[in-house]
Amino acid sequence: MRKQVLSLSEAAAGRIRQLLDQRQRSFLKLGVKARGCNGLSYTLNYADDKGKFDELVEDKGVKILIDPKALMHVIGTKMDFVDDKLRSEFIFVNPNSAGQCGCGESFMTMSSSEAAKRAGGSGS
């Protein structure tokens, strides 16, 4: 059996279940996009259907789709949810992260940092 792409804490699963029930949607979809000081940030969107190349993760009774462009950046990630007096947010513990900005809004993986080096240093 292969390793799960993404695992959820009980708190994350509970919050996702609540959000999906409120919106009457089937899936939450995790992606990444180029943004922030370190290159990538996580995106979460609602989805009704699984795309042809989406990876389906079922954990603790909830279904999450992983965008195929995000897959190599999130393998092995644990998703948690924190709700306290200062914040209410999903937290991603990503073993592939090679760096994170100070505010925690963006991250870099080995594959994204290598791509940035090639793009920036190809003329040397």
Side-chain angles (χ1 to χ4, degrees), residues 85-122:
K85 291 180 182 180
L86 297 175
R87 61 191 176 157
S88 180
E89 64 184 349
F90 287 105
I91 305 288
F92 298 89
V93 180
N94 188 338
N96 306 302
S97 180
Q100 192 171 1
C101 68
C103 65
E105 287 294 315
S106 64
F107 69 101
M108 175 186 350
T109 61
M110 291 306 242
S111 54
S112 64
S113 65
E114 287 302 314
K117 281 180 193 171
R118 280 194 291 267
S122 59

Side-chain angles (χ1 to χ4, degrees), residues 67-80:
D67 185 282
K69 294 182 290 276
L71 194 57
M72 69 179 182
H73 300 291
V74 301
I75 291 174
T77 295
K78 175 150 183 148
M79 186 175 176
D80 196 5

